[in-house]
Amino acid sequence: MPRSSVPPLVPHAPPLGPLLRLYAAGSALACEPVEQGLLNRGYRLCTTRGRYFLKHHFDPDTADPAAIKRRHLATLRLAALGVPVAPPLARRDGR
């Protein structure tokens, strides 16, 4: 996609550079908010390495790291059973 046709990054998106480096996900090309969602913010993220869904957990009830880990493990189990889900992306260090 020519650079001139790439939409600009969303100003209220989380800081993407440091985050993407943790996951070896490339450099951000576009980040568009998803309008639906009840407790957290979602973004469609396009990088030099692919397309991702980025979930920004900011609600205190859903942002607890232990709760996020439990949800990620449940999502991985569903994926292993063949359920069409977007599995979490592991960090460079494997976490």
Side-chain angles (χ1 to χ4, degrees):
M1 174 181 294
R3 190 75 168 137
S4 61
S5 64
V6 174
L9 295 178
V10 176
H12 61 277
L16 295 174
L19 178 69
L20 294 176
R21 283 190 291 279
L22 281 174
Y23 292 89
S27 299
L29 298 174
C31 184
E32 299 174 5
V34 174
E35 297 302 323
Q36 298 172 344
L38 298 174
L39 301 174
N40 301 292
R41 291 187 184 113
Y43 300 91
R44 286 182 190 92
L45 177 62
C46 181
T47 76
T48 54
R49 296 232 172 136
R51 294 173 41 198
Y52 302 93
F53 173 74
L54 174 63
K55 188 170 189 174
H56 180 192
H57 297 273
F58 67 90
D59 184 90
D61 293 335
T62 63
D64 174 60
I68 292 169
K69 183 176 180 178
R70 285 191 302 273
R71 284 192 299 275
H72 284 182
L73 290 173
T75 302
L76 288 171
R77 287 187 200 111
L78 290 170
L81 292 171
V83 176
V85 295
L89 182 63
R91 289 176 21 167
R92 285 180 186 231
D93 63 7
R95 297 188 313 169

